[in-house]
Short mmCIF file of all heavy atoms in Angstrom, two decimals:
data_model
loop_
_atom_site.label_atom_id
_atom_site.label_comp_id
_atom_site.label_asym_id
_atom_site.label_seq_id
_atom_site.Cartn_x
_atom_site.Cartn_y
_atom_site.Cartn_z
N HIS R 26 0.83 -1.20 0.00
CA HIS R 26 0.00 0.00 0.00
C HIS R 26 0.87 1.26 0.00
O HIS R 26 0.62 2.19 -0.77
CB HIS R 26 -0.91 -0.02 1.23
CG HIS R 26 -1.76 1.21 1.38
ND1 HIS R 26 -2.83 1.48 0.55
CD2 HIS R 26 -1.69 2.24 2.26
CE1 HIS R 26 -3.38 2.63 0.91
NE2 HIS R 26 -2.71 3.11 1.94
N LEU R 27 1.90 1.28 0.83
CA LEU R 27 2.79 2.44 0.89
C LEU R 27 3.60 2.57 -0.40
O LEU R 27 3.86 3.69 -0.87
CB LEU R 27 3.72 2.32 2.10
CG LEU R 27 3.04 2.45 3.46
CD1 LEU R 27 4.01 2.08 4.59
CD2 LEU R 27 2.50 3.87 3.68
N GLN R 28 3.96 1.44 -0.98
CA GLN R 28 4.68 1.48 -2.25
C GLN R 28 3.79 2.10 -3.34
O GLN R 28 4.25 2.91 -4.15
CB GLN R 28 5.10 0.07 -2.66
CG GLN R 28 5.97 0.00 -3.91
CD GLN R 28 6.25 -1.43 -4.33
OE1 GLN R 28 5.33 -2.19 -4.62
NE2 GLN R 28 7.51 -1.81 -4.35
N GLU R 29 2.53 1.72 -3.34
CA GLU R 29 1.60 2.24 -4.34
C GLU R 29 1.33 3.73 -4.14
O GLU R 29 0.93 4.43 -5.08
CB GLU R 29 0.28 1.45 -4.29
CG GLU R 29 0.42 0.03 -4.83
CD GLU R 29 -0.74 -0.87 -4.44
OE1 GLU R 29 -1.68 -0.37 -3.77
OE2 GLU R 29 -0.70 -2.07 -4.79
N LEU R 30 1.56 4.22 -2.92
CA LEU R 30 1.43 5.66 -2.65
C LEU R 30 2.70 6.42 -3.03
O LEU R 30 2.78 7.64 -2.81
CB LEU R 30 1.10 5.89 -1.18
CG LEU R 30 -0.32 5.52 -0.73
CD1 LEU R 30 -0.47 5.70 0.78
CD2 LEU R 30 -1.36 6.36 -1.46
N GLY R 31 3.68 5.72 -3.56
CA GLY R 31 4.89 6.37 -4.04
C GLY R 31 6.07 6.32 -3.10
O GLY R 31 7.13 6.91 -3.40
N CYS R 32 5.94 5.64 -1.97
CA CYS R 32 7.07 5.52 -1.05
C CYS R 32 8.11 4.56 -1.63
O CYS R 32 7.78 3.60 -2.34
CB CYS R 32 6.60 5.00 0.31
SG CYS R 32 5.48 6.10 1.19
N ASP R 33 9.36 4.82 -1.29
CA ASP R 33 10.45 3.92 -1.65
C ASP R 33 10.56 2.90 -0.51
O ASP R 33 11.19 3.15 0.51
CB ASP R 33 11.75 4.71 -1.80
CG ASP R 33 12.90 3.84 -2.31
OD1 ASP R 33 12.74 2.60 -2.38
OD2 ASP R 33 13.98 4.40 -2.61
N VAL R 34 9.91 1.76 -0.70
CA VAL R 34 9.80 0.74 0.34
C VAL R 34 10.81 -0.37 0.07
O VAL R 34 10.83 -0.94 -1.03
CB VAL R 34 8.38 0.15 0.42
CG1 VAL R 34 8.30 -0.95 1.47
CG2 VAL R 34 7.36 1.25 0.72
N ARG R 35 11.62 -0.69 1.06
CA ARG R 35 12.59 -1.77 0.94
C ARG R 35 12.53 -2.65 2.18
O ARG R 35 12.11 -2.21 3.24
CB ARG R 35 14.00 -1.22 0.73
CG ARG R 35 14.06 -0.24 -0.45
CD ARG R 35 15.47 0.21 -0.77
NE ARG R 35 15.48 1.28 -1.77
CZ ARG R 35 16.56 1.78 -2.33
NH1 ARG R 35 17.77 1.30 -1.99
NH2 ARG R 35 16.47 2.76 -3.21
N TRP R 36 12.97 -3.90 2.02
CA TRP R 36 12.90 -4.87 3.11
C TRP R 36 14.30 -5.29 3.57
O TRP R 36 15.22 -5.40 2.76
CB TRP R 36 12.16 -6.13 2.67
CG TRP R 36 10.67 -6.00 2.69
CD1 TRP R 36 9.89 -5.49 1.68
CD2 TRP R 36 9.78 -6.38 3.74
NE1 TRP R 36 8.58 -5.55 2.06
CE2 TRP R 36 8.47 -6.09 3.30
CE3 TRP R 36 9.97 -6.96 5.00
CZ2 TRP R 36 7.35 -6.34 4.08
CZ3 TRP R 36 8.85 -7.21 5.78
CH2 TRP R 36 7.56 -6.91 5.33
N TYR R 37 14.40 -5.55 4.86
CA TYR R 37 15.58 -6.16 5.45
C TYR R 37 15.17 -7.52 6.00
O TYR R 37 14.44 -7.61 6.98
CB TYR R 37 16.14 -5.26 6.56
CG TYR R 37 17.18 -5.92 7.45
CD1 TYR R 37 18.37 -6.42 6.91
CD2 TYR R 37 16.96 -6.04 8.82
CE1 TYR R 37 19.31 -7.03 7.73
CE2 TYR R 37 17.90 -6.64 9.65
CZ TYR R 37 19.07 -7.13 9.11
OH TYR R 37 20.00 -7.73 9.92
N MET R 38 15.59 -8.59 5.31
CA MET R 38 15.22 -9.95 5.68
C MET R 38 16.32 -10.90 5.21
O MET R 38 17.08 -10.57 4.30
CB MET R 38 13.89 -10.36 5.04
CG MET R 38 12.67 -9.66 5.59
SD MET R 38 12.28 -10.13 7.29
CE MET R 38 11.61 -11.77 7.08
N PRO R 39 16.42 -12.10 5.79
CA PRO R 39 17.44 -13.05 5.34
C PRO R 39 17.14 -13.61 3.96
O PRO R 39 16.03 -13.46 3.43
CB PRO R 39 17.38 -14.15 6.41
CG PRO R 39 16.00 -14.08 6.95
CD PRO R 39 15.63 -12.63 6.92
N ASP R 40 18.13 -14.29 3.38
CA ASP R 40 17.98 -14.76 2.00
C ASP R 40 16.91 -15.82 1.82
O ASP R 40 16.45 -16.05 0.70
CB ASP R 40 19.32 -15.27 1.46
CG ASP R 40 19.94 -16.36 2.32
OD1 ASP R 40 19.27 -16.83 3.28
OD2 ASP R 40 21.10 -16.74 2.06
N ILE R 41 16.46 -16.45 2.91
CA ILE R 41 15.39 -17.43 2.77
C ILE R 41 14.08 -16.77 2.36
O ILE R 41 13.13 -17.47 1.96
CB ILE R 41 15.19 -18.23 4.08
CG1 ILE R 41 14.93 -17.30 5.26
CG2 ILE R 41 16.36 -19.14 4.35
CD1 ILE R 41 14.62 -18.02 6.57
N TYR R 42 14.02 -15.44 2.42
CA TYR R 42 12.83 -14.70 1.99
C TYR R 42 13.01 -14.07 0.61
O TYR R 42 12.18 -13.27 0.18
CB TYR R 42 12.45 -13.64 3.02
CG TYR R 42 11.69 -14.22 4.20
CD1 TYR R 42 12.36 -14.84 5.25
CD2 TYR R 42 10.30 -14.19 4.24
CE1 TYR R 42 11.66 -15.40 6.30
CE2 TYR R 42 9.60 -14.74 5.28
CZ TYR R 42 10.28 -15.35 6.32
OH TYR R 42 9.59 -15.92 7.36
N ASP R 43 14.09 -14.41 -0.07
CA ASP R 43 14.38 -13.82 -1.39
C ASP R 43 13.18 -13.95 -2.34
O ASP R 43 12.76 -12.98 -2.97
CB ASP R 43 15.60 -14.50 -2.02
CG ASP R 43 16.91 -13.95 -1.48
OD1 ASP R 43 16.87 -13.08 -0.59
OD2 ASP R 43 17.97 -14.39 -1.94
N GLU R 44 12.67 -15.15 -2.47
CA GLU R 44 11.61 -15.39 -3.46
C GLU R 44 10.34 -14.63 -3.10
O GLU R 44 9.72 -14.00 -3.98
CB GLU R 44 11.30 -16.88 -3.57
CG GLU R 44 10.27 -17.21 -4.63
CD GLU R 44 10.01 -18.69 -4.77
OE1 GLU R 44 10.70 -19.49 -4.10
OE2 GLU R 44 9.11 -19.06 -5.56
N LYS R 45 9.97 -14.65 -1.83
CA LYS R 45 8.75 -13.95 -1.42
C LYS R 45 8.85 -12.46 -1.67
O LYS R 45 7.91 -11.83 -2.18
CB LYS R 45 8.47 -14.20 0.07
CG LYS R 45 7.99 -15.60 0.39
CD LYS R 45 7.59 -15.72 1.84
CE LYS R 45 7.03 -17.11 2.12
NZ LYS R 45 6.54 -17.26 3.51
N ILE R 46 10.00 -11.87 -1.33
CA ILE R 46 10.17 -10.43 -1.50
C ILE R 46 10.29 -10.07 -2.98
O ILE R 46 9.77 -9.04 -3.42
CB ILE R 46 11.39 -9.94 -0.69
CG1 ILE R 46 11.09 -10.10 0.81
CG2 ILE R 46 11.73 -8.49 -1.01
CD1 ILE R 46 12.25 -9.78 1.72
N ARG R 47 10.93 -10.93 -3.75
CA ARG R 47 11.04 -10.70 -5.19
C ARG R 47 9.66 -10.73 -5.84
O ARG R 47 9.35 -9.89 -6.70
CB ARG R 47 11.96 -11.75 -5.81
CG ARG R 47 12.20 -11.53 -7.31
CD ARG R 47 13.31 -12.43 -7.84
NE ARG R 47 13.07 -13.83 -7.58
CZ ARG R 47 13.77 -14.57 -6.70
NH1 ARG R 47 14.74 -14.02 -5.99
NH2 ARG R 47 13.50 -15.85 -6.54
N ASN R 48 8.82 -11.67 -5.42
CA ASN R 48 7.46 -11.76 -5.97
C ASN R 48 6.62 -10.55 -5.60
O ASN R 48 5.66 -10.20 -6.32
CB ASN R 48 6.77 -13.04 -5.47
CG ASN R 48 7.36 -14.30 -6.09
OD1 ASN R 48 8.00 -14.24 -7.15
ND2 ASN R 48 7.15 -15.44 -5.45
N LEU R 49 6.95 -9.90 -4.49
CA LEU R 49 6.25 -8.69 -4.07
C LEU R 49 6.81 -7.43 -4.73
O LEU R 49 6.28 -6.33 -4.55
CB LEU R 49 6.33 -8.55 -2.54
CG LEU R 49 5.51 -9.55 -1.73
CD1 LEU R 49 5.96 -9.55 -0.28
CD2 LEU R 49 4.02 -9.25 -1.83
N ASN R 50 7.91 -7.61 -5.46
CA ASN R 50 8.54 -6.51 -6.20
C ASN R 50 9.10 -5.43 -5.28
O ASN R 50 8.88 -4.23 -5.50
CB ASN R 50 7.55 -5.89 -7.20
CG ASN R 50 8.23 -5.01 -8.23
OD1 ASN R 50 9.38 -5.25 -8.60
ND2 ASN R 50 7.54 -3.98 -8.69
N PHE R 51 9.84 -5.86 -4.25
CA PHE R 51 10.53 -4.93 -3.36
C PHE R 51 12.04 -5.10 -3.49
O PHE R 51 12.53 -6.21 -3.73
CB PHE R 51 10.16 -5.19 -1.89
CG PHE R 51 8.77 -4.79 -1.53
CD1 PHE R 51 7.84 -5.75 -1.13
CD2 PHE R 51 8.38 -3.46 -1.55
CE1 PHE R 51 6.56 -5.39 -0.78
CE2 PHE R 51 7.09 -3.09 -1.21
CZ PHE R 51 6.17 -4.04 -0.83
N SER R 52 12.77 -4.00 -3.30
CA SER R 52 14.21 -4.10 -3.13
C SER R 52 14.47 -4.75 -1.78
O SER R 52 13.70 -4.60 -0.83
CB SER R 52 14.85 -2.72 -3.19
OG SER R 52 14.70 -2.14 -4.46
N HIS R 53 15.62 -5.43 -1.67
CA HIS R 53 15.82 -6.32 -0.52
C HIS R 53 17.26 -6.24 -0.03
O HIS R 53 18.20 -6.36 -0.81
CB HIS R 53 15.48 -7.75 -0.98
CG HIS R 53 15.70 -8.80 0.06
ND1 HIS R 53 15.97 -10.11 -0.26
CD2 HIS R 53 15.73 -8.74 1.41
CE1 HIS R 53 16.13 -10.81 0.84
NE2 HIS R 53 15.99 -10.00 1.87
N TYR R 54 17.42 -6.04 1.27
CA TYR R 54 18.73 -6.12 1.92
C TYR R 54 18.78 -7.40 2.75
O TYR R 54 17.94 -7.61 3.63
CB TYR R 54 18.97 -4.91 2.82
CG TYR R 54 18.96 -3.58 2.09
CD1 TYR R 54 17.83 -2.78 2.09
CD2 TYR R 54 20.08 -3.16 1.38
CE1 TYR R 54 17.81 -1.57 1.41
CE2 TYR R 54 20.08 -1.94 0.69
CZ TYR R 54 18.93 -1.16 0.72
OH TYR R 54 18.92 0.04 0.05
N ARG R 55 19.77 -8.24 2.49
CA ARG R 55 19.89 -9.49 3.23
C ARG R 55 20.67 -9.29 4.52
O ARG R 55 21.38 -8.32 4.69
CB ARG R 55 20.60 -10.55 2.37
CG ARG R 55 19.86 -10.92 1.10
CD ARG R 55 20.60 -12.03 0.37
NE ARG R 55 19.92 -12.39 -0.88
CZ ARG R 55 20.18 -11.84 -2.04
NH1 ARG R 55 21.10 -10.87 -2.12
NH2 ARG R 55 19.53 -12.21 -3.13
N TYR R 56 20.52 -10.27 5.41
CA TYR R 56 21.32 -10.28 6.63
C TYR R 56 22.80 -10.42 6.27
O TYR R 56 23.15 -11.23 5.40
CB TYR R 56 20.95 -11.46 7.52
CG TYR R 56 19.61 -11.36 8.23
CD1 TYR R 56 18.71 -10.35 7.96
CD2 TYR R 56 19.27 -12.32 9.19
CE1 TYR R 56 17.49 -10.29 8.62
CE2 TYR R 56 18.05 -12.26 9.85
CZ TYR R 56 17.16 -11.24 9.56
OH TYR R 56 15.97 -11.18 10.23
N GLU R 57 23.64 -9.68 6.93
CA GLU R 57 25.08 -9.87 6.82
C GLU R 57 25.66 -10.22 8.19
O GLU R 57 26.19 -11.30 8.39
CB GLU R 57 25.74 -8.62 6.22
CG GLU R 57 25.44 -8.43 4.75
CD GLU R 57 26.34 -7.43 4.07
OE1 GLU R 57 27.31 -6.96 4.70
OE2 GLU R 57 26.09 -7.10 2.90
N LYS R 58 25.53 -9.32 9.14
CA LYS R 58 25.97 -9.61 10.50
C LYS R 58 24.99 -10.54 11.23
O LYS R 58 25.38 -11.39 12.02
CB LYS R 58 26.11 -8.31 11.31
CG LYS R 58 27.22 -7.38 10.84
CD LYS R 58 28.57 -7.86 11.31
CE LYS R 58 29.64 -6.82 11.01
NZ LYS R 58 30.99 -7.26 11.43
N ALA R 59 23.72 -10.34 10.95
CA ALA R 59 22.68 -11.05 11.70
C ALA R 59 22.61 -12.53 11.33
O ALA R 59 22.80 -12.92 10.17
CB ALA R 59 21.33 -10.40 11.45
N VAL R 60 22.33 -13.34 12.33
CA VAL R 60 22.11 -14.77 12.14
C VAL R 60 20.60 -15.00 12.02
O VAL R 60 19.82 -14.53 12.85
CB VAL R 60 22.67 -15.58 13.33
CG1 VAL R 60 22.36 -17.06 13.16
CG2 VAL R 60 24.16 -15.33 13.49
N ALA R 61 20.18 -15.72 10.99
CA ALA R 61 18.75 -15.98 10.76
C ALA R 61 18.32 -17.21 11.55
O ALA R 61 18.38 -18.34 11.06
CB ALA R 61 18.48 -16.18 9.27
N VAL R 62 17.90 -16.98 12.79
CA VAL R 62 17.40 -18.07 13.62
C VAL R 62 15.89 -18.15 13.41
O VAL R 62 15.15 -17.24 13.75
CB VAL R 62 17.72 -17.82 15.11
CG1 VAL R 62 17.23 -19.00 15.96
CG2 VAL R 62 19.21 -17.61 15.31
N THR R 63 15.43 -19.26 12.85
CA THR R 63 14.02 -19.44 12.52
C THR R 63 13.38 -20.46 13.45
O THR R 63 14.07 -21.16 14.21
CB THR R 63 13.85 -19.89 11.06
OG1 THR R 63 14.34 -21.24 10.94
CG2 THR R 63 14.63 -18.99 10.11
N LEU R 64 12.06 -20.61 13.34
CA LEU R 64 11.36 -21.61 14.13
C LEU R 64 11.81 -23.01 13.75
O LEU R 64 11.76 -23.94 14.58
CB LEU R 64 9.85 -21.47 13.95
CG LEU R 64 9.21 -20.19 14.53
CD1 LEU R 64 7.75 -20.09 14.11
CD2 LEU R 64 9.34 -20.16 16.04
N ASP R 65 12.25 -23.19 12.52
CA ASP R 65 12.72 -24.51 12.08
C ASP R 65 14.14 -24.80 12.55
O ASP R 65 14.47 -25.94 12.90
CB ASP R 65 12.66 -24.60 10.55
CG ASP R 65 11.24 -24.67 10.03
OD1 ASP R 65 10.41 -25.33 10.68
OD2 ASP R 65 10.96 -24.05 9.00
#
């Protein structure tokens, strides 16, 4: 919604979310220092 209003919206998430964020058409910053600890 914010993207459609003209905001420059970007996400910070680990690479396991690459496909989801790409499908949503957002620019994406991956974790570098952070460790991606998931429920799995």
Side-chain angles (χ1 to χ4, degrees):
H26 177 71
L27 291 171
Q28 185 185 61
E29 290 164 1
L30 287 175
C32 296
D33 186 351
V34 178
R35 306 186 188 186
W36 279 85
Y37 167 60
M38 290 292 286
D40 56 7
I41 56 176
Y42 280 82
D43 279 2
E44 183 178 356
K45 288 187 177 184
I46 293 174
R47 183 169 55 251
N48 289 339
L49 290 165
N50 195 31
F51 289 115
S52 295
H53 177 206
Y54 298 99
R55 298 183 182 91
Y56 287 8
E57 289 195 7
K58 293 283 188 181
V60 177
V62 182
T63 69
L64 292 173
D65 289 321

